[in-house]
Amino acid sequence: MFEEAENLGKRLVNVSETLYGSESIVTLHVLFYLSGVYEKSGQLEKSRDVKKQVLGLERKLRSPGHTETLYTMTELAQTYYALGEIDEAITLQLEALQGYRNREGDNAMKIMGTVFDLACSYHEASKLEDARLQYEEAISMSRSLLGDEDEKTIAKLAPLIALYTEVDEYELAKDLAYETLWFMEEAHGDDDPATQEARRNVIIVATSLDKWRDAERQSKKLVASLERTHGTDHADTIDAANRLADCLKEQRKYSAAEPLYTRVLNYNRIHLPPEDNATIDVMTSLIFTLRKLEKYPEAATLNQELLTIQTNTLGPDHATTLATTAIKATILYAQKRYPEAAALERHILTTRISTLDPSDPATLEAKHNLAHTYSKQGKHEEAAVLAEDVYNVYEEQGLEDTDEDMLDAMEVLRDVFIAARRWADARGMVDRELIARQIGKKEKGDDGVIAALRCLEAVAKGERDEEEVQEVREMGGDG
């Protein structure tokens, strides 16, 4: 059909040029028809070239500010945009916008459309502040001209939501995302593609704001909707299931998250290569979840599979592979297999020291992990040396006691001192930690405060100070 239309268009152009000349209004209209045929058939380069001819004739036969000339500018700009020729699109859109604003009469709708197209072009060109201003102007005009609940107004919100998300303006994105979802639910129902996309945007924004309950509620609705429209094994359904699992994991609902992660992983095993990032990510999340559920044999098996993949693709001493090795050591530690855990942690620490700066966070983490394991093995002197190394690095860096890294260092050193029965050293560290947490305005029920109070109770018991033990329990040390 398109071939016939193209041939007809070419013949009409030839006839028009013969009868009326190549620079005539008739030829202009026939060329515009031919450009449309090319566009509908996906021949965008040919459509662009013919539209450029049309625009040249428009400028010559009419005027740069004529309404038909401006319309052709916007049409050609859209073709440039579709071809990825964004700078050319922006140039024409700016010219068309100025032309519409200079014309007499009611041009508000055309101005609004051109402003929105210009916003999209700026967005595509990563000129985010320019895009933001144009989006906001176009939406403001649309609300004024068409109303808040007009579908064309709502449709303009999605790219602005995406832009706000890109620049971490999640609070601004949230209101627009919910507005879009409420409209789409009312207008089209849960299972319409537009509603599903709007719900997906709400989930993205909610998770970015750590509003996990909202994200969970919307994720459950999206999974159910996609299962109805796409089936249980469709890629979109699996993606939504993975997002739901993430929401549950973040709320420590590990038992509910586990089967979802398993479902996603089983799908990925079939449809994606083992080294695909999506597969690696879900394996990592499932390993974490299994550890939290104390399903250590299952976690160990899956972690070994992940470690094999990363060793084969990245090498045994790659930073990512070492991080997975550290998780393997953590699982062994949880199973009280301390000699095996320590062997892995020594390898990790040796590699970190040889490849990274001594004060690199990964090096310091490796020292902390090995200190914990040495402490469990009764190697208290070795554990204290490692823990004090980390603590001293942070002190040299001038970290405040209220800094989270410094608090972590205090916790590890405190635990090492208690395990070694160095009660005076442990008391000094616990007291310092509690003061820091009080300065940091940590509440009494905060997990860190509770742990510190329990350690203070352990110190008091070690020093056989029953009166202090009772005092600490009254402060909340007994949980």
Side-chain angles (χ1 to χ4, degrees):
M1 183 179 79
F2 287 120
E3 185 177 352
E4 293 175 0
E6 179 182 346
N7 291 334
L8 174 61
K10 289 178 178 178
R11 286 198 299 272
L12 289 174
V13 169
N14 289 333
V15 170
S16 178
E17 289 180 340
T18 300
L19 293 177
Y20 305 104
S22 59
E23 295 185 354
S24 67
I25 292 294
V26 175
T27 301
L28 183 155
H29 283 299
V30 174
L31 283 169
F32 196 82
Y33 163 79
L34 180 59
S35 74
V37 172
Y38 283 138
E39 185 166 312
K40 289 178 181 178
S41 63
Q43 301 180 73
L44 295 183
E45 290 86 354
K46 289 184 177 180
S47 178
R48 173 201 60 200
D49 294 341
V50 175
K51 285 180 182 177
K52 287 168 70 175
Q53 286 183 259
V54 174
L55 182 57
L57 288 174
E58 293 276 13
R59 293 183 191 278
K60 190 169 186 177
L61 298 174
R62 291 177 170 141
S63 70
H66 190 281
T67 183
E68 293 296 334
T69 308
L70 298 175
Y71 176 75
T72 303
M73 285 182 193
T74 60
E75 286 289 305
L76 177 55
Q78 288 176 1
T79 305
Y80 278 137
Y81 181 90
L83 288 167
E85 298 170 358
I86 306 303
D87 289 342
E88 291 83 350
I90 290 172
T91 298
L92 278 181
Q93 287 160 346
L94 286 170
E95 184 180 354
L97 182 58
Q98 189 60 48
Y100 281 130
R101 284 177 169 157
N102 289 340
R103 282 185 60 81
E104 295 181 358
D106 184 7
N107 297 298
M109 291 294 292
K110 293 174 181 176
I111 291 172
M112 178 187 70
T114 307
V115 168
F116 184 76
D117 289 345
L118 179 59
C120 294
S121 296
Y122 279 141
H123 198 168
E124 188 67 22
S126 297
K127 298 179 178 180
L128 299 184
E129 187 57 32
D130 290 331
R132 174 178 181 161
L133 293 173
Q134 299 301 326
Y135 279 138
E136 289 174 347
E137 181 181 350
I139 291 168
S140 177
M141 291 183 69
S142 189
R143 291 188 190 279
S144 176
L145 294 168
L146 303 174
D148 290 339
E149 297 184 0
D150 186 272
E151 189 142 4
K152 292 180 180 178
T153 300
I154 298 298
K156 289 178 173 62
L157 301 182
L160 182 55
I161 294 168
L163 187 147
Y164 282 151
T165 302
E166 285 180 54
V167 298
D168 298 336
E169 293 278 7
Y170 298 112
E171 285 292 346
L172 294 175
K174 180 187 70 174
D175 293 339
L176 296 182
Y178 275 104
E179 179 183 355
T180 303
L181 177 58
W182 292 331
F183 176 89
M184 291 302 175
E185 284 178 325
E186 185 69 23
H188 302 292
D190 284 349
D191 294 344
D192 186 86
T195 307
Q196 292 171 340
E197 182 61 28
R199 198 179 304 282
R200 190 176 290 109
N201 285 335
V202 166
I203 294 166
I204 291 170
V205 172
T207 55
S208 300
L209 291 169
D210 293 334
K211 295 183 179 297
W212 297 109
R213 291 180 63 186
D214 288 348
E216 177 191 347
R217 184 170 62 253
Q218 297 299 337
S219 293
K220 285 179 177 177
K221 289 184 178 180
L222 182 58
V223 170
S225 174
L226 288 168
E227 285 179 342
R228 290 192 294 269
T229 59
H230 292 60
T232 57
D233 286 332
H234 190 276
D236 289 348
T237 310
I238 294 299
D239 178 70
N242 191 55
R243 291 181 188 275
L244 175 56
D246 287 342
C247 295
L248 295 166
K249 174 169 70 73
E250 290 296 330
Q251 297 176 85
R252 303 181 183 182
K253 299 178 180 180
Y254 302 118
S255 295
E258 181 195 354
L260 286 168
Y261 280 133
T262 302
R263 172 183 173 182
V264 175
L265 180 56
N266 290 339
Y267 175 90
N268 288 357
R269 289 189 196 280
I270 296 170
H271 296 91
L272 298 174
E275 67 276 8
D276 188 273
N277 286 337
T279 303
I280 298 298
D281 288 345
V282 72
M283 289 178 78
T284 302
S285 295
L286 182 53
I287 291 164
F288 176 89
T289 302
L290 290 169
R291 286 167 56 204
K292 289 297 183 179
L293 290 170
E294 298 183 1
K295 295 185 176 182
Y296 298 119
E298 297 93 325
T301 299
L302 188 57
N303 193 75
Q304 186 58 49
E305 180 185 349
L306 177 57
L307 189 56
T308 301
I309 293 170
Q310 291 173 337
T311 300
N312 292 337
T313 57
L314 302 174
D317 293 334
H318 188 278
T320 302
T321 310
L322 287 174
T324 303
T325 305
I327 293 173
K328 179 178 180 179
T330 301
I331 295 170
L332 291 168
Y333 179 95
Q335 295 175 299
K336 300 183 179 180
R337 295 162 63 177
Y338 302 124
E340 296 169 79
L344 288 176
E345 288 163 351
R346 279 193 296 271
H347 166 71
I348 294 167
L349 179 56
T350 300
T351 307
R352 296 295 196 198
I353 290 172
S354 66
T355 58
L356 300 174
D357 187 86
S359 61
D360 188 276
T363 306
L364 301 179
E365 181 183 16
K367 287 186 176 183
H368 267 170
N369 290 340
L370 185 54
H372 275 302
T373 305
Y374 276 158
S375 188
K376 287 293 186 180
Q377 290 181 288
K379 298 180 178 181
H380 301 303
E381 185 174 338
E382 295 95 324
V385 168
L386 290 169
E388 286 175 325
D389 279 350
V390 178
Y391 181 82
N392 290 335
V393 166
Y394 289 145
E395 283 218 312
E396 290 170 7
Q397 291 176 349
L399 264 61
E400 298 288 339
D401 284 359
T402 53
D403 186 278
E404 288 297 330
D405 286 334
M406 181 58 90
L407 286 171
D408 287 343
M410 289 181 189
E411 288 179 13
V412 176
L413 195 50
R414 168 200 78 194
D415 292 343
V416 167
F417 286 152
I418 290 174
R421 299 179 181 275
R422 292 169 55 176
W423 305 119
D425 291 331
R427 176 180 291 282
M429 193 55 58
V430 174
D431 287 344
R432 185 169 177 177
E433 180 191 350
L434 282 170
I435 291 171
R437 291 188 181 280
Q438 184 179 18
I439 293 172
K441 297 183 179 178
K442 297 292 186 181
E443 299 297 331
K444 182 179 175 182
D446 176 79
D447 289 345
V449 174
I450 292 173
L453 288 172
R454 285 175 177 166
C455 288
L456 185 58
E457 181 182 345
V459 171
K461 286 181 178 178
E463 295 177 334
R464 302 182 184 280
D465 188 338
E466 291 301 324
E467 184 177 343
E468 186 181 21
V469 169
Q470 188 58 37
E471 289 177 359
V472 173
R473 285 178 176 173
E474 291 173 1
M475 290 168 61
D478 61 356

